[in-house]
Amino acid sequence: MTVLFEPSMTTEPDPHSQHKPAFGAALERLGLDDGSDLTELALVRAVPGRRYVYRARWQGQDVYAKLFTGKNHAYYAGRDLAGVQRLAAAGIETPPLLFQGGVPDAQARVLVFLAIGQASNAEQAWSGYDARARFTLAQRLVQTLARHHQAGLIQTDLYFKNFLVQGEVVYTLDGDGIRRLRVLFQQRQRLRNLATLFSKMDVLDDQWIPELYTCYCRQLNADCKPADLAALRSLTQRIRSRMASAYADKKVFRTCTDVQVTRRFDYFLAVARGFGLAPASLGLLDAALADQKANLKNGNTCTIARTLIADRQVVVKRYNIKDFWHGLNRAFRPSRAAASWANAHRLLISRIATPEPLALMEERLGLLRRRAYYVSEYLDAPDALQFFAQSSSPDDREAVARNLATLFYRLYLLKFSHGDCKATNIKIVDLSPVLIDLDGMRSYRLPRIFDSLFKRRHVKDLKRLMKNWEHDAATTALLKQALQVEYASQGLYRGDAILIRAGIA
């Protein structure tokens, strides 16, 4: 994904790149082949050895410069340029291209775009808006997408970050992802593209899909077909689930923007970028668990401790091997620590709060797994049971009950089952629930096949949640009321029947 106008963490250039002295975070000035210079360069994004995006000054103007390097630089620069030209030819707003050319004495091409003032990308805007403003932005994005389709174009790298919002105007970024619609499959491509846009919204905002589809059809001067609306709903769910799985089950297990991975014969280590757990300091994990009296838990299969690593308060969870047969059973399967690591990332990308995942370490003997460690952020907050026992504020209690109901309804829509909904596995931070203990969590990606199984698991989660307060009539009544309101409020995916099966409605 190429992001043009989004400041983000810079990435150091590839040490094997032949242009290491010229390109990267240390670049201060860049001469272009027309004799002009880019100055005041600040690296925004990098794909080392291939592409760099800079915020800069050029001929007295604020600009963004995309620098393409490597043996295929001309091809990728040309593809990006072609996309920008297609957008401009169709009259679709995109940042003006000010310069295209080369860099003297370097194997590189540069595209220079005017920086759009007082603007933010759609992802930034979305996160800061209330529901009404998000719906208005969604309408504008849908109208922009419809204009793409009217022009016979499709954005193949469809992320909110690839749209820039300035007042009521939406600019399309990233010409590299702009392609022509295929003549024989236009309707299928259009629906999938629209569903991909919807999948970037919060799952709770899926209630807007019928209105947004009407907005799309109105922009195209086309009839809204009920069959297409049903297909959109289904496609949106499938795409969202597939993308979450691609990130949580694959991407965070290899070196990427968010994670640094080290693989050796005797261990596997994945560490969040910015968390200072180096392979040389792995002994810290066992050292943190050595004092059994200070540990949060000492069990045969699991040991948990709070400690300080890299100046951060963290929780270290070690999954133990009880005996030879238990070790043999675990040797060929993904570890429970790996499940926690994946599920934490799955929740975060799905906008569900959980402590930040910081590290995963598995002791290995080649392909055989042994003990495993999961490190996460420590939250100094009461669990749900403690909160309701301690809080005397009616407003706070009602807010937490509503937020718990929203959490479980969100899990229902996303088809996630937690598996152990004890109140101690739900922390309350600023009146909002935060899920912990994720090694038993499961995602059900094929709803038509596993829908009945998932619903049984969700009913079980709800029953376990309510069991926490079986001797507290006031809290039970408060939670039941909140769940009934939440599960009945959505026209698309009402959950009344689920509550009846759980004994809540």
Side-chain angles (χ1 to χ4, degrees), residues 166-179:
Q166 183 196 51
E168 296 185 0
V169 180
V170 175
Y171 292 83
T172 300
L173 308 180
D174 192 15
D176 182 67
I178 301 297
R179 303 284 191 278

Side-chain angles (χ1 to χ4, degrees), residues 3-52:
V3 182
L4 271 185
F5 303 94
E6 161 68 357
S8 62
M9 183 179 297
T10 58
T11 305
E12 291 301 320
D14 185 347
H16 301 295
S17 171
Q18 60 178 314
H19 300 301
K20 180 183 176 183
F23 307 131
L27 185 63
E28 297 178 357
R29 174 189 167 279
L30 184 64
L32 306 179
D33 61 7
D34 69 343
S36 64
D37 292 329
L38 287 168
T39 60
E40 301 178 29
L41 287 97
L43 186 62
V44 172
R45 185 173 176 84
V47 179
R50 288 182 53 190
R51 184 172 64 251
Y52 302 85

Side-chain angles (χ1 to χ4, degrees), residues 161-465:
K161 284 184 179 181
N162 283 337
F163 296 96
L164 193 68
V165 181
Q166 183 196 51
E168 296 185 0
V169 180
V170 175
Y171 292 83
T172 300
L173 308 180
D174 192 15
D176 182 67
I178 301 297
R179 303 284 191 278
R180 295 198 182 278
L181 282 164
R182 290 176 290 176
V183 176
L184 295 179
F185 304 102
Q186 281 201 16
Q187 183 60 12
R188 185 186 303 175
Q189 279 187 290
R190 286 172 175 176
L191 284 179
R192 180 168 289 278
N193 205 219
L194 186 57
T196 301
L197 180 69
F198 292 160
S199 73
K200 309 305 180 187
M201 302 188 310
D202 190 293
V203 68
L204 295 177
D205 295 334
D206 282 2
Q207 61 182 310
W208 298 336
I209 287 177
E211 291 180 78
L212 293 176
Y213 177 55
T214 299
C215 176
Y216 173 82
C217 293
R218 190 182 299 121
Q219 181 69 37
L220 286 175
N221 294 315
D223 294 331
C224 294
K225 300 177 182 178
D228 286 346
L229 177 57
L232 267 175
R233 294 175 181 176
S234 178
L235 270 172
T236 299
Q237 289 181 312
R238 291 207 304 270
I239 291 169
R240 183 183 284 126
S241 177
R242 186 170 64 247
M243 293 189 65
S245 180
Y247 179 73
D249 297 328
K250 296 178 182 178
K251 188 172 183 178
V252 296
F253 287 88
R254 63 175 187 264
T255 296
C256 62
T257 304
D258 300 326
V259 177
Q260 177 68 46
V261 168
T262 303
R263 298 175 186 268
R264 287 193 2 182
F265 181 82
D266 54 344
Y267 70 81
F268 170 91
L269 176 66
V271 181
R273 297 277 188 185
F275 180 59
L277 181 66
S281 61
L282 289 178
L284 290 172
L285 300 182
D286 275 326
L289 299 161
D291 186 357
Q292 294 191 5
K293 292 182 180 180
N295 287 347
L296 303 176
K297 179 179 180 180
N298 292 297
N300 288 333
T301 60
C302 184
T303 306
I304 306 175
R306 171 187 172 186
T307 190
L308 185 71
I309 296 179
D311 296 323
R312 293 189 64 172
Q313 288 289 333
V314 302
V315 173
V316 179
K317 193 170 186 178
R318 183 180 65 204
Y319 294 90
N320 303 317
I321 301 298
K322 293 188 296 184
D323 52 39
F324 172 80
W325 297 110
H326 183 230
L328 186 63
N329 179 267
R330 299 299 320 181
F332 299 97
R333 294 190 290 159
S335 67
R336 292 168 64 195
S340 294
W341 175 256
N343 285 327
H345 286 94
R346 195 186 322 278
L347 290 178
L348 291 175
I349 201 173
S350 302
R351 298 185 175 91
I352 295 178
T354 192
E356 182 184 357
L358 297 173
L360 160 69
M361 201 277 276
E362 293 178 336
E363 294 178 346
R364 292 188 177 183
L365 191 63
L367 297 177
L368 304 181
R369 294 170 173 85
R370 297 172 56 78
R371 295 188 305 178
Y373 303 75
Y374 175 60
V375 183
S376 64
E377 170 192 18
Y378 171 75
L379 295 181
D380 187 11
D383 61 46
L385 197 65
Q386 293 169 330
F387 173 83
F388 282 110
Q390 297 168 2
S391 176
S392 58
S393 168
D395 289 344
D396 287 354
R397 291 168 65 86
E398 288 180 12
V400 169
R402 285 196 306 270
N403 291 337
L404 277 169
T406 300
L407 166 64
F408 276 80
Y409 186 65
R410 194 189 296 269
L411 293 172
Y412 170 66
L413 294 181
L414 292 167
K415 291 183 167 54
F416 297 162
S417 70
H418 183 274
D420 189 10
C421 292
K422 295 182 295 189
T424 52
N425 287 334
I426 305 172
K427 295 284 190 176
I428 304 298
V429 179
D430 297 329
L431 304 182
S432 295
V434 180
L435 279 179
I436 64 173
D437 196 9
L438 308 178
D439 51 43
M441 177 182 147
R442 290 193 60 184
S443 170
Y444 294 80
R445 291 190 57 202
L446 300 173
R448 292 182 180 178
I449 299 175
F450 295 115
D451 195 49
S452 61
L453 175 58
F454 163 70
K455 287 180 178 178
R456 288 199 299 272
R457 294 286 175 85
H458 188 68
V459 166
K460 185 177 179 181
D461 279 349
L462 286 171
K463 286 182 175 179
R464 185 63 187 88
L465 174 72

Side-chain angles (χ1 to χ4, degrees), residues 135-163:
F135 177 68
T136 300
L137 176 56
Q139 286 181 309
R140 290 179 183 147
L141 291 173
V142 164
Q143 289 166 346
T144 300
L145 203 64
R147 292 176 63 199
H148 288 189
H149 297 169
Q150 276 180 316
L153 303 176
I154 189 169
Q155 170 59 277
T156 61
D157 193 23
L158 195 56
Y159 288 87
F160 278 15
K161 284 184 179 181
N162 283 337
F163 296 96

